[in-house]
Amino acid sequence: VQLQASGGGLVQVGGSLRLSCAASGRTFSSLSVGWFRQAPGKEREFVAASRRSVGQRHYSNAVKGRFTISRDNAKNIVYLQMNSLKPEDTAIYYCAADAGHFIMSTALIGDSYEYWGQGTQVTVSS
């Protein structure tokens, strides 16, 4: 499975961006998918996840209510809609996927995922 993340860029505080993660080699309908981010000098952190088969979505407290993860199975793309962006959202964003049937706690952990995209930079200016 290969993942290709795109959609990052420079946006002002309060603005929006939509990140895309396209998969080849397998359909997203058979994968659990997560978004993670890493800011300079910081550890990678969980952002959002959509668990395989269950249809439940999970968000970190930092982005809950502002970000939405969604799937377009026809296009085999997973999106991360990011609204009301803040300077602290500045990071490289990575999409990840795995064929496992995750429980919620597993979906929040980056090491649970086998496949990773290359990352896309999001910069929020104040």
Side-chain angles (χ1 to χ4, degrees):
V1 177
Q2 292 187 327
L3 304 178
Q4 180 75 34
S6 61
L10 175 64
V11 64
Q12 291 187 332
V13 169
S16 298
L17 282 174
R18 187 177 75 165
L19 305 184
S20 300
C21 179
S24 59
R26 192 155 181 171
T27 58
F28 270 129
S29 60
S30 66
L31 298 169
S32 293
V33 183
W35 284 96
F36 294 79
R37 68 186 182 186
Q38 187 166 21
K42 294 189 176 181
E43 298 281 323
R44 182 180 64 194
E45 66 173 350
F46 166 77
V47 176
S50 173
R51 286 193 284 154
R52 172 185 177 180
S53 301
V54 178
Q56 289 185 334
R57 294 175 286 186
H58 310 286
Y59 302 94
S60 69
N61 289 334
V63 308
K64 195 173 297 181
R66 300 188 297 121
F67 291 11
T68 303
I69 185 172
S70 63
R71 299 170 178 250
D72 185 332
N73 288 334
K75 295 182 178 179
N76 209 29
I77 296 177
V78 171
Y79 299 105
L80 183 69
Q81 178 67 43
M82 307 186 296
N83 299 328
S84 302
L85 284 161
K86 305 175 181 180
E88 51 263 43
D89 295 319
T90 295
I92 300 174
Y93 283 71
Y94 299 90
C95 61
D98 194 275
H101 291 276
F102 290 164
I103 59 174
M104 185 181 76
S105 59
T106 304
L108 311 186
I109 301 170
D111 288 345
S112 302
Y113 296 84
E114 180 174 1
Y115 309 111
W116 287 82
Q118 84 289 0
T120 184
Q121 175 72 48
V122 172
T123 303
V124 184
S125 65
S126 56

